[in-house]
Amino acid sequence: MWQEILPNAWSFEYSQKNAVLVPVAALGFGGMLVYWMRSRQKIKTIEMGDGWWGSGERPLKGKEDESIRPFKIETSDKEIEDLHRRLEQARYAPHLEGAAFHYGFNSSYLQKVVAYWRNQFDWCKQVEVLNKYAHFQTTIEGIDIHFIHVKPSYVPHGRAVQPLLMVHGWPGSFYEFYKIIPLLTEPARNSLNEGDVVFEVICPSIPGYGFSEAPHQKGFDTIATARIFHKLMNRLGFKEYYLQGGDWGSRITTNMAQMLPQSVKGLHLNLVFISRQGLRRMISVMLGAYVPWLVGLTREDVQRMYPFIQKNIHELLRESGYLHIQATKPDTAGCGLNDSPVGLAAYILEKFSTWTDKSFLHKDDGGLESKYSLDDLLTNVMIYWVTSSIVSSMRFYKENISKDPGLTADARVGVYVPTGIAAFPQELVHTPRVWAKDIFKNIITYSYMPRGGHFAAFEEPKLLAQDIMHFVRKVEQL
């Protein structure tokens, strides 16, 4: 009897062990398989690399000065006298009757702008306005990087302050953010919801723009800029931060998210660059006007995109002549703009007309003063003038656009960080959410903004601030 019971007992114990070991082994094998599959699908990133943009060869010895140095914008009587002399000696071509802004900046209105610039605009006063925020410079990869850093004066108990890097584009500057900064750093004092997040804002000047030193070497593109701005944020002591950008700022911050996604808490854009094309996109365009729901387009997308040829080819060609010049021979046209403040103003301010609202093309004054003050517009122009940075800012197009877009390091790298998109109706091109998802894999918010164009922070600071806060609040709740 015992001889029968013992083998049965051993058999029962063995089967019990099998009942435990087999699932454990299967679970372990399954876990290894999942890990292996995930490791094979590891998120691609842009190599951070390194660079040297200073004059001459990179020093073989010696560590770069990583100090953060206070910086102050200054002017002089000599600088103002030279400007006034040039303004007084300007020559104008008579405008065509009824041309408005169809041929570019209307010369009759330009004379009014120049008269204001010469007789009423107070550059000394505007320098004080510019210096109301703390400015700094630091040397990165051989060139001096300028930035402003604004912290909230008061932070309610228990509320975290979120670092936010905001990057401008062309022909803008860090000054574009002067109206949005107080909304982000002091939301409660500016009639925004007290429950919203609070930011400390860092606004650098792209190298070659304004008070950031221009690169001395060829090849300085958005990826190099992204790396420098990551180094800047790290130098300021930030390990994680939010990013925001439009125009070149959009591509730079997107590259930052592709380069070091672990450092980017969230990416907010008011312009989306999509370079990928193909049969799928062509089908989407063809069907979108008739059965938009079939290709993922909304009614608002249809309204903003069609008629497609007119809005995405004709209007874009009309507004992009400057781009071809700057992407091929920037120094040729740039030398004239660098020598003539009137030419510089016409070249820059024309963009603030039609890029703000396409209908401004039909207005004799370009609609400029309906959205901005001449003081604000001329302050932005002066940043280019006093720093002689128009040529180096134009070269940024040469460095970025002269390459095959399909061969750039970021062309096949998706963006996986939480992303917010604010689509303004007067932007040069509209990118529907369904198209943006090809690149931005983790879109948290996509907002059809009620009004506004290309220079969102400058034109509609409150709308943009509210959308940034809405996005960040959602990310913080994840």
Side-chain angles (χ1 to χ4, degrees):
M1 181 176 175
W2 288 107
Q3 288 175 337
E4 292 175 4
I5 292 174
L6 284 173
N8 287 339
W10 181 85
S11 177
F12 175 73
E13 186 179 0
Y14 181 77
S15 64
Q16 274 190 319
K17 287 181 179 179
N18 274 355
V20 174
L21 291 173
V22 170
V24 168
L27 187 63
F29 178 78
M32 290 175 66
L33 182 63
V34 169
Y35 176 80
W36 178 77
M37 291 178 67
R38 283 190 172 180
S39 66
R40 286 180 61 84
Q41 296 177 346
K42 186 178 179 182
I43 294 174
K44 289 183 180 179
T45 59
I46 298 173
E47 288 287 334
M48 187 160 183
D50 200 7
W52 171 258
W53 308 104
S55 183
E57 296 286 332
R58 187 172 198 160
L60 296 176
K61 295 181 180 180
K63 191 177 179 182
E64 188 166 70
D65 178 10
E66 296 186 354
S67 64
I68 307 291
R69 305 178 296 274
F71 176 81
K72 189 175 182 180
I73 298 171
E74 296 177 337
T75 188
S76 66
D77 291 340
K78 184 179 179 181
E79 182 176 73
I80 296 170
E81 288 167 5
D82 176 67
L83 171 67
H84 286 175
R85 178 182 59 80
R86 292 169 185 264
L87 294 177
E88 290 163 358
Q89 294 178 355
R91 296 190 305 171
Y92 302 90
H95 75 275
L96 292 172
E97 293 181 9
F101 263 55
H102 286 273
Y103 285 71
F105 206 106
N106 184 294
S107 60
S108 293
Y109 179 61
L110 179 60
Q111 292 179 63
K112 295 179 182 178
V113 172
V114 172
Y116 181 88
W117 196 0
R118 169 62 182 87
N119 302 313
Q120 294 173 262
F121 179 76
D122 188 341
W123 176 232
C124 292
K125 179 182 175 183
Q126 293 307 113
V127 166
E128 291 179 10
V129 172
L130 290 172
N131 284 326
K132 76 176 182 177
Y133 294 131
H135 293 248
F136 303 91
Q137 279 188 340
T138 187
T139 305
I140 304 177
E141 298 188 6
I143 53 177
D144 290 338
I145 305 302
H146 161 262
F147 64 97
I148 58 174
H149 187 179
V150 187
K151 300 179 181 181
S153 59
Y154 168 73
V155 181
H157 178 70
R159 189 177 301 175
V161 177
Q162 303 294 343
L164 173 65
L165 180 81
M166 303 188 78
V167 185
H168 66 87
W170 187 93
S173 65
F174 66 92
Y175 183 60
E176 286 181 72
F177 302 118
Y178 268 51
K179 291 179 181 177
I180 199 173
I181 286 172
L183 305 181
L184 296 169
T185 57
E186 311 284 350
R189 294 184 182 180
N190 289 278
S191 303
L192 293 176
N193 191 333
E194 290 190 30
D196 284 329
V197 291
V198 176
F199 297 93
E200 60 178 296
V201 179
I202 301 91
C203 299
S205 295
I206 298 170
Y209 288 67
F211 299 99
S212 276
E213 185 178 355
H216 298 267
Q217 312 293 333
K218 295 187 296 182
F220 187 84
D221 57 12
T222 57
I223 292 175
T225 313
R227 180 178 64 245
I228 282 177
F229 287 172
H230 270 309
K231 289 182 177 181
L232 170 64
M233 294 301 279
N234 184 258
R235 195 169 290 185
L236 291 172
F238 299 115
K239 302 301 179 186
E240 291 184 311
Y241 31 89
Y242 285 93
L243 306 174
Q244 202 286 325
D247 196 88
W248 281 125
S250 169
R251 186 162 167 182
I252 292 165
T253 53
T254 296
N255 288 165
M256 291 178 74
Q258 294 169 312
M259 186 177 288
L260 289 179
Q262 67 273 22
S263 295
V264 180
K265 295 185 74 175
L267 170 68
H268 186 279
L269 307 172
N270 55 279
L271 173 64
V272 172
F273 286 97
I274 297 290
S275 59
R276 297 180 191 175
Q277 304 297 330
L279 181 61
R280 184 176 155 204
R281 182 64 49 77
M282 191 182 300
I283 292 171
S284 177
V285 169
M286 289 191 296
L287 296 179
Y290 306 101
V291 281
W293 51 269
L294 191 62
V295 290
L297 300 181
T298 67
R299 288 183 179 180
E300 187 66 31
D301 292 330
V302 172
Q303 185 177 342
R304 296 186 182 195
M305 290 170 57
Y306 295 90
F308 192 83
I309 299 296
Q310 176 192 328
K311 293 189 175 182
N312 296 271
I313 297 179
H314 290 166
E315 290 183 0
L316 210 55
L317 282 173
R318 184 189 70 207
E319 295 299 329
S320 58
Y322 81 99
L323 186 149
H324 190 73
I325 292 172
Q326 294 177 192
T328 53
K329 304 289 180 67
D331 287 31
T332 304
C335 67
L337 300 176
N338 194 52
D339 188 61
S340 168
V342 175
L344 181 67
Y347 196 72
I348 288 177
L349 296 186
E350 182 240 309
K351 305 308 177 193
F352 281 88
S353 168
T354 48
W355 291 6
T356 295
D357 191 316
K358 300 175 185 72
S359 70
F360 287 173
L361 195 71
H362 309 296
K363 295 178 177 290
D364 289 341
D365 63 357
L368 282 169
E369 293 178 75
S370 63
K371 291 287 186 175
Y372 313 102
S373 72
L374 285 181
D375 281 343
D376 282 341
L377 291 170
L378 291 172
T379 297
N380 183 67
V381 173
M382 285 294 289
I383 289 170
Y384 282 87
W385 176 254
V386 300
T387 59
S388 296
S389 59
I390 187 62
V391 176
S392 51
S393 75
M394 292 165 70
R395 287 176 185 156
F396 205 50
Y397 286 77
K398 171 77 171 175
E399 305 294 12
N400 285 287
I401 299 177
S402 60
K403 305 167 186 173
D404 182 339
L407 299 178
T408 57
D410 58 341
R412 300 297 173 188
V413 177
V415 177
Y416 293 87
V417 305
T419 303
I421 297 171
F424 285 84
Q426 290 293 331
E427 185 54 90
L428 294 171
V429 290
H430 174 70
T431 303
R433 181 176 186 146
V434 67
W435 292 5
K437 285 166 64 177
D438 289 346
I439 304 295
F440 302 93
K441 310 296 186 180
N442 188 12
I443 297 176
I444 303 299
T445 63
Y446 183 101
S447 308
Y448 295 100
M449 307 304 283
R451 62 185 179 277
H454 187 73
F455 303 98
F458 208 38
E459 180 195 352
E460 295 289 349
K462 190 168 185 178
L463 281 180
L464 184 60
Q466 288 172 329
D467 199 70
I468 294 170
M469 289 176 174
H470 172 62
F471 163 66
V472 171
R473 194 188 305 115
K474 283 207 164 189
V475 174
E476 292 296 313
Q477 291 171 353
L478 293 176

